[in-house]
Structures are given as structure tokens and as C-alpha cells.
Amino acid sequence: MQDHSLLITLIVFLSAAVISVPLFKKMGLGSVVGYLIGGTIIGPWGIGLITDVESILHLSEFGVILLLFLIGLELKPQRLWVLRRPVFGLGGLQVILTSLIFFGVLSLLGLTNAQAIVISISISLSSTAFALQVLGEKNELNTAHGRSAFAILLFQDLAVIPVMAILPFLGEPTGEAGNQNGLMPILIAIGTILGVILAGRFLARPLFRLVASSGNHEIFTALSLLIVVGLSLLMDQVGLSMALGSFLGGVILADSEYRHELESNLEPFKGLLLGLFFLAVGMSINLGEVLKDPILVILFALGLMSIKALVLYFLGRVTKQTEETSLNLAVTISQGGEFAFVILGVGVSLSILPRERADLVIAVVTLSMGLTPILGLVKDKVVDLFFKKSEEQEDDNIEEQNRVIIAGFGRFGQIIARMLFVHRIGFTALEHNPDQVNVARKFGYKIYYGDASKLSLLRSAGAEQADLFILAVQDIDISVKIAETVKKHFPNLTIIARARNREHVFKLLELGVKIIRRDTFASALELAGETLSHLGFMDSEVEQKVRKFRAHDELTLKGQYQVRHNEKEFIQFSKNSIRQLEAAFEADRLEKEGRTGS
């Protein structure tokens, strides 16, 4: 019966995920909201299919742990050292300012100092799992606001250590023994961290090497999970955050030659357990507490997010980030976080907070998590639309017409412009990034601000009379959109296009663009030639090999274009092409040896 109960629970979880996640992603709200709503429906406050939320929440926390471990694998210790300023500067300011503001507000509402401190600190922390999942879904982890958000979240994980240490002091006075007990966890935590670092340096690699030499992939996966789970439990036992422990383990192994193998082994577990975590958070929403006064809970959640968003936006502007980056940062991590559940739980156990008040705050925090993707959607659809409309109204008036139009004035377009400029060939440069326009104008370039995909702007730039249209825009979607407009309305205008990769080339070829050059192909090929020269090849040989490689790659590209819609044929064609190139160079080598021997 117990086995059947476990299987039924598993079926309920999978059904909730399979139904709710695709539905809410189709609605544009993202997978996180889908998990939350699905968890709320199947939880004890919904239709009651699952009741043991506490156990499931503890199990699902391993999804967050694996997420932090994989992020740690991407951060080598040297890079983490570089991040120390945004982590402790930006992160520290966010926690301190937000906590002080919340403390003031809660004190005005009549809470005691101890209660106000516990609640204000707990709600100043954001959700690492939610924020990183949303950033990952939007491919924004490596953007300016993504890096800032990560730095703040990392500091918050670190801040949990001293927070948990000072909580006992807010309860009943414990005298001198209490002070000793308060300092001892910090000393133990520091000792544990140093021990983990040393073990990672001197024991982990030999252990991985030993297991890898066995050739058993399953044992390697088991070792990967053992290290993550073991580190997390060790940190938990000494009073640290399990997520912080797994992150530290990832950073230590980031320099390891087994990093990529670890990533591929743990990624599937991370995805499943992280989804379970979001479901469990949805199940933990106390709808009974919410339904007592739903308007109050919603207002509190919106108030929490508004205050945090204002602080984050302010910090973004103070640290000289752009308005857009600051706004994105404010939206991304303005919610409460999972650490609030832990801190509030400890507050209740120490008799600092009554259970009813803690449940109310937990409901507010959970609701703020659910509102985060919705707030991001509102920002994308409404705020960005407003900014775009404002930008459209501010397009420059073009008062000249030249033989050449350059769309995109970044590093690529500027090189072409400099060549034309020194030969006194007139050109009209269009750029949609206002910052780029301002920088270019400082260097004396005459450049116009505007969206080159707009027909009206192209006409005012003289596209009907121009000879050449240089498409130097980096963004693939925007580049293709501009090419479509030009080919449709100015079919006699010759396009010379820049492409970021093969996929970009294929899209431009489909539109009839014939002159296309890939961003990094020429420079990479030149560097490959330099590499051969330093390895002892003669200059004439290098020139011949580079020329042959270029010609073969251009032919391969055309062949790949013909079979691009059939993945199997595309892969087979690419493999055959590599073998043909190897055979051609091998024939050259044998011919050279034959001439030398004779």
C-alpha cells in the first residue's frame, strides 16, 4: 500500500506539472507561475490531493541546491574574486537599505523591535530559485541586470549565516552562555568552509580521477550526486545554508577537468527537483490565512515588491547602470524568498513571532513569488512598449542621401564606415541604440538615430536612390526583419550583410541576400593561419591552406543550406564535408612528401 501511495503521489505531481506548466507558458506567464498554480490546486488548501507539504518541501530543496551547484561550476574562483565588489557592495547595500525601510514601516504598524527585525530581514531576501529560473528562461543570466541580480542573491545567501546566528539574541536573554553559543556557530561555520575548500583542492580531483578510470558512467553520476548532497547536509548541520554549501562546492570544482561531465550528469536532476520545489511552494500557500483578508495580503505583497523594486532601481542608478538595466533588476528580484520560510520558522520556535503572524508573512512572500513573472510580463508588454513608442517619436530627421546606407553602427559597422570615410565616400549611418549614437557622435561621426526596419526611415535615408545597403546589425531577428523590409520595398538595392552564425546566413539566403560575411570567420581563419605559422609551417603553405579551407567552408555552407530542414541529412552532410577536407589536406601532405623524396 505504501508503494502504491508513493506512485499515486508521483502521478499527481507529474500530472500537475504536465497540465499547468505548458498552459501558463502558452499564456506568456512562464513555467514558474504554472508550477505555483499547479501546486496550489493539488495542495492541502486546494483539492487536497497532497497533504504532507513539509516533507516534500524539504526534499524539493535539493532542486535549488543542484541549481546553485551548477551555477558555481560556471564561476571559477578568480571570477568570483572579481565579483567581490558587486556581491558585497551592491548586495550589502540592498539588504541593509531594504531591511531598514521595512523595519521602519513595521515599527509604525505597532510590531515590537524583535518582531520587526525578524520580519524585515526575512522579507529583504529574494528568491534565488525563482529569480535564476526566470533569468534562465529568458536567457538573461549573462546580461548586466542578470549579473547584478546574481551578485545580490549570492550576498543574500551569505547573509543568512550571521542572520541565523543573531536570531537567538532576539529571544529570551541567555546571559554570558548565550553570547558564547552565539559566537560558536560562526566559528564552526568558518572552520567548515575552510575544511571544504581544502578537501575540494586536494581530495576531490583524485577521487574523480579514480572513479573516471573505472569507465562506469553510472558511478560517476552517483559520485556527483554524493558530493552535492553531502556538502549540502554538512553545511546544514553546522547551521549554514545548504544552497550556499552546494554553490561553494561548485566553485571549488569549476577549475576541474570534470566540470562539463558534472554539468551533464546533474542537469536532468536539477530540472526535475526544481520543478518539484516550485510545486511545493505553491502547495505551502496557506489559503486559509489569505482568505481571512485577501485584499490585505495582496496589498502587503504589492507593497513588499514595490519597496524592494524602488531600492533596487535606486541602487542600479547609483552604481551607474542604465535605466533599462536598473528597471530589469528591480523587476527580477523584487519578490520575497525561500529563506523567509526558514527565518520566520526559527522566529516562531524562539517565541519571537506568533504562528499566525508568521503564516501571514509567509503567504505574502509566496504571493510575491507568484507575482514576479507576471510583473516581468507587464514590464515587457507595457513599459517596454511605452519606451519603444517614445523612441519612435524621437527618430532623427535625415537631411542627406548617399550612395551607401549602413544599418548598425557597432564595432562591425564602424570599421566599414572608417574605410568609406578615409576614401571620402559618403554614407548614411543608422543606429537604434541611443548610447551607441551618443558615443559615435563624440568621435565626429554623423549618425542618425532610428529603427532601420521602418520603411519611413529607409525612404528618408534615400534607400530608393542608394547603391549599397550595409546590414551590420548584430541581433539576428532585427537583422532579418530589416533585410525583409529592404528586399520587399527596394528590390534593386544591393545588400551586403553581416551574419553572426550559420543559422543567420541561412535566414538571409532565404530572403535572397547574396553577399553575406560571417562575423568571426575571417578573423578566426586569420588567427588559425598565425597558429600554423608558429607551429613551423612556411608562409606560402599557410596562405595556401587558409585559402583552401575558406573555399571548402563556403561550399559546405551552400550545401548545408540545401539540406537545412532535414536534421539527419544536415548532420551527415557536415560529417562528410569534414572527411573530404581532411582527405584533401592529407593528399597535399603526401604530394609534398613525394616531391621532397624525389
Side-chain angles (χ1 to χ4, degrees):
M1 290 297 290
Q2 190 175 359
D3 291 340
H4 288 170
S5 176
L6 182 62
L7 289 174
I8 291 171
T9 301
L10 183 60
I11 289 172
V12 170
F13 280 135
L14 294 174
S15 300
V18 168
I19 294 171
S20 60
V21 173
L23 178 63
F24 280 89
K25 284 199 77 170
K26 193 163 183 127
M27 292 166 62
L29 297 176
S31 62
V32 173
V33 174
Y35 282 120
L36 276 178
I37 300 297
T40 304
I41 292 172
I42 65 175
W45 298 99
I47 58 179
L49 294 177
I50 305 294
T51 55
D52 189 9
V53 178
E54 196 71 25
S55 300
I56 293 166
L57 195 57
H58 283 309
L59 173 64
S60 64
E61 283 175 1
F62 282 107
V64 183
I65 288 166
L66 288 172
L67 173 66
L68 268 294
F69 181 80
L70 291 172
I71 289 172
L73 283 177
E74 297 295 331
L75 285 174
K76 294 184 179 180
Q78 300 92 328
R79 187 181 169 197
L80 192 60
W81 177 250
V82 171
L83 286 173
R84 67 190 185 281
R85 288 187 179 177
V87 169
F88 291 98
L90 192 60
L93 281 172
Q94 184 273 327
V95 172
I96 292 169
L97 287 177
T98 310
S99 297
L100 287 174
I101 293 172
F102 282 134
F103 177 80
V105 172
L106 293 170
S107 297
L108 290 174
L109 292 175
L111 273 69
T112 65
N113 286 341
Q115 291 180 355
I117 289 172
V118 172
I119 295 176
S120 61
I121 292 176
S122 67
I123 61 178
S124 71
L125 307 179
S126 305
S127 174
T128 300
F130 272 64
L132 294 182
Q133 178 76 1
V134 171
L135 287 169
E137 285 184 354
K138 294 183 176 181
N139 294 317
E140 293 178 351
L141 281 169
N142 290 319
T143 60
H145 71 273
R147 290 190 295 269
S148 296
F150 176 76
I152 292 172
L153 293 167
L154 180 56
F155 177 83
Q156 291 177 359
D157 285 347
L158 293 168
V160 172
I161 303 169
V163 167
M164 298 298 287
I166 65 171
L167 283 180
F169 293 98
L170 300 176
E172 296 296 323
T174 53
E176 187 177 340
N179 290 333
Q180 292 175 355
N181 290 336
L183 291 173
M184 187 57 67
I186 297 178
L187 296 175
I188 293 174
I190 293 172
T192 303
I193 290 174
L194 291 175
V196 168
I197 292 173
L198 290 174
R201 284 290 180 190
F202 299 107
L203 297 178
R205 288 187 181 182
L207 186 58
F208 274 116
R209 198 174 296 116
L210 177 65
V211 172
S213 65
S214 71
N216 192 316
H217 182 76
E218 291 77 13
I219 297 300
F220 193 96
T221 303
L223 177 61
S224 306
L225 288 169
L226 177 63
I227 286 179
V228 178
V229 175
L231 273 176
S232 303
L233 289 177
L234 174 64
M235 292 298 182
D236 185 56
Q237 289 298 309
V238 299
L240 297 177
S241 157
M242 288 198 294
L244 178 63
S246 63
F247 174 77
L248 180 63
V251 172
I252 293 170
L253 294 171
D255 280 328
S256 168
E257 62 270 31
Y258 302 105
R259 177 169 68 89
H260 296 295
E261 185 74 11
L262 282 166
E263 285 178 333
S264 62
N265 285 340
L266 297 177
E267 188 68 34
F269 296 99
K270 184 264 295 184
L272 285 170
L273 288 171
L274 203 55
L276 181 62
F277 172 77
F278 295 137
L279 281 170
V281 170
M283 288 186 289
S284 67
I285 298 176
N286 189 335
L287 291 181
E289 195 65 43
V290 174
L291 293 174
K292 285 181 183 177
D293 198 340
I295 302 299
L296 184 66
V297 174
I298 293 171
L299 287 176
F300 278 163
L302 292 175
L304 182 155
M305 298 182 76
S306 299
I307 290 173
K308 292 184 75 170
L310 287 171
V311 171
L312 289 163
Y313 180 81
F314 168 75
L315 290 176
R317 298 302 285 161
V318 166
T319 52
K320 298 182 179 179
Q321 299 190 41
T322 65
E323 185 176 354
E324 184 182 4
T325 297
S326 302
L327 184 62
N328 286 329
L329 177 64
V331 170
T332 303
I333 54 174
S334 60
Q335 75 289 120
E338 52 271 8
F339 285 124
F341 304 155
V342 179
I343 295 172
L344 293 169
V346 174
V348 171
S349 66
L350 293 172
S351 301
I352 301 172
L353 286 172
R355 168 56 66 182
E356 296 77 16
R357 186 158 288 169
D359 284 344
L360 175 62
V361 178
I362 288 172
V364 169
V365 167
T366 308
L367 182 59
S368 72
M369 291 182 183
L371 289 174
T372 299
I374 299 173
L375 184 61
L377 185 67
V378 171
K379 194 275 299 179
D380 291 341
K381 299 295 184 183
V382 179
V383 179
D384 287 356
L385 183 63
F386 172 77
F387 282 131
K388 285 177 183 176
K389 285 184 177 178
S390 300
E391 289 171 0
E392 287 174 3
Q393 294 169 1
E394 296 173 4
D395 279 353
D396 288 335
N397 292 320
I398 301 175
E399 301 170 349
E400 62 176 332
Q401 295 184 353
N402 292 293
R403 292 179 59 195
V404 181
I405 299 172
I406 302 177
F409 210 72
R411 57 183 176 82
F412 200 93
Q414 286 177 25
I415 293 174
I416 299 171
R418 281 161 54 194
M419 179 65 80
L420 296 174
F421 183 80
V422 296
H423 287 89
R424 298 185 180 181
I425 299 172
F427 60 87
T428 302
L430 309 175
E431 173 58 55
H432 199 222
N433 185 331
D435 295 332
Q436 191 66 42
V437 171
N438 293 332
V439 170
R441 284 174 178 170
K442 288 179 182 178
F443 287 89
Y445 288 108
K446 189 170 184 180
I447 180 172
Y448 295 96
Y449 172 73
D451 182 358
S453 65
K454 290 170 58 179
L455 181 59
S456 57
L457 187 73
L458 292 173
R459 281 184 172 146
S460 64
E464 291 174 329
Q465 293 80 33
D467 295 329
L468 292 174
F469 186 90
I470 311 299
L471 183 53
V473 176
Q474 182 180 19
D475 187 278
I476 295 177
D477 293 334
I478 296 174
S479 171
V480 171
K481 185 179 178 182
I482 294 171
E484 285 177 339
T485 305
V486 173
K487 292 298 290 184
K488 180 178 179 180
H489 297 280
F490 312 102
N492 296 323
L493 181 57
T494 301
I495 299 176
I496 298 178
R498 159 216 193 163
R500 286 187 62 189
N501 50 39
R502 278 172 140 74
E503 180 189 356
H504 194 181
V505 172
F506 297 156
K507 289 181 178 181
L508 293 172
L509 285 172
E510 287 175 350
L511 294 172
V513 180
K514 292 183 171 56
I515 307 174
I516 307 169
R517 295 294 179 266
R518 283 165 281 163
D519 272 16
T520 56
F521 180 68
S523 56
L525 199 54
E526 184 179 347
L527 197 59
E530 292 284 347
T531 303
L532 292 177
S533 295
H534 282 281
L535 290 173
F537 287 84
M538 296 175 60
D539 289 346
S540 58
E541 284 184 286
V542 170
E543 184 180 347
Q544 183 263 338
K545 290 179 185 298
V546 167
R547 189 166 57 248
K548 176 172 281 192
F549 187 97
R550 180 193 294 274
H552 185 272
D553 192 79
E554 292 294 340
L555 286 173
T556 300
L557 189 65
K558 292 177 181 177
Q560 288 173 330
Y561 174 70
Q562 299 298 326
V563 296
R564 65 193 181 281
H565 297 305
N566 188 318
E567 183 181 4
K568 187 176 179 180
E569 286 188 26
F570 185 93
I571 293 172
Q572 188 59 47
F573 180 89
S574 301
K575 288 181 177 179
N576 290 338
S577 177
I578 293 171
R579 285 195 287 267
Q580 289 168 7
L581 184 60
E582 287 176 336
F585 279 124
E586 179 65 14
D588 289 346
R589 186 184 66 79
L590 293 174
E591 182 182 350
K592 178 185 174 184
E593 289 178 355
R595 288 199 304 268
T596 304
S598 61

